[in-house]
Amino acid sequence: MSKIAVVYWSGTGNTESMANMVADGIKAGGKEADVIPVDAANAADLKDMPVFALGCPSMGAEQLEESVMEGFVTEVEGFASGKTIGLFGSYGWGDGQWMRDWVERMENAGAAVLGGEEAICNDAPDADAEAACNELGKKLAAV
């Protein structure tokens, strides 16, 4: 059984909840999920994985968290070509521009981004966000 990494940064717990929802979808899809906070992850460990998920909430002016997640994502960009990546996260303001930018950034690095900006939610994840995260996990498991 294949294991799919779900690496995330969460400030309030919303994105952590979403990471676990993505993991539930991966498990429902028949694969194992390894949910890892980004400060406990090593980007180099993802190099040999054909598929994985990254989660981060919107911060500041609709951007990724800068102290840890931004550097991690920059490192992933260096080997993203040919990978299948699922992106997810929550936001408290704006309209989700940070996710559109993130999807474009990963696609420009050569990754196939599953689900685009579907797995996002405003504030705490609700039933719709849970369904979107579960569906993202199932799509990742199907790769």
Side-chain angles (χ1 to χ4, degrees):
M1 185 176 276
S2 300
K3 189 176 276 194
I4 297 173
V6 180
V7 180
Y8 71 92
W9 185 89
S10 187
T12 63
N14 293 339
T15 304
E16 179 179 13
S17 293
M18 294 176 81
N20 289 313
M21 293 170 187
V22 171
D24 289 343
I26 291 168
K27 292 172 193 168
K31 296 199 176 162
E32 292 182 41
D34 192 8
V35 181
I36 311 163
V38 70
D39 56 357
N42 183 339
D45 292 341
L46 301 179
K47 280 185 179 179
D48 294 330
M49 295 183 182
V51 59
F52 51 88
L54 301 174
C56 186
S58 171
M59 303 294 289
E62 291 210 63
Q63 60 201 37
L64 298 177
E65 187 277 331
E66 293 179 302
S67 68
V68 182
M69 194 66 180
E70 177 58 40
F72 189 88
V73 170
T74 297
E75 193 172 340
V76 169
E77 275 181 292
F79 60 81
S81 184
K83 305 288 185 192
T84 300
I85 302 173
L87 303 176
F88 62 93
S90 64
Y91 62 100
W93 57 88
D95 69 352
Q97 184 61 47
W98 107 101
M99 184 58 76
R100 289 189 292 277
D101 293 343
W102 197 10
V103 168
E104 182 179 359
R105 182 176 172 184
M106 292 293 100
E107 289 175 341
N108 287 342
V113 179
L114 288 182
E117 60 180 282
E118 295 171 8
I120 66 172
C121 67
N122 187 272
D123 295 322
D126 58 11
D128 289 342
E130 182 172 5
C133 289
N134 274 284
E135 184 60 26
L136 177 59
K138 288 175 187 174
K139 287 178 181 178
L140 292 165
V143 172

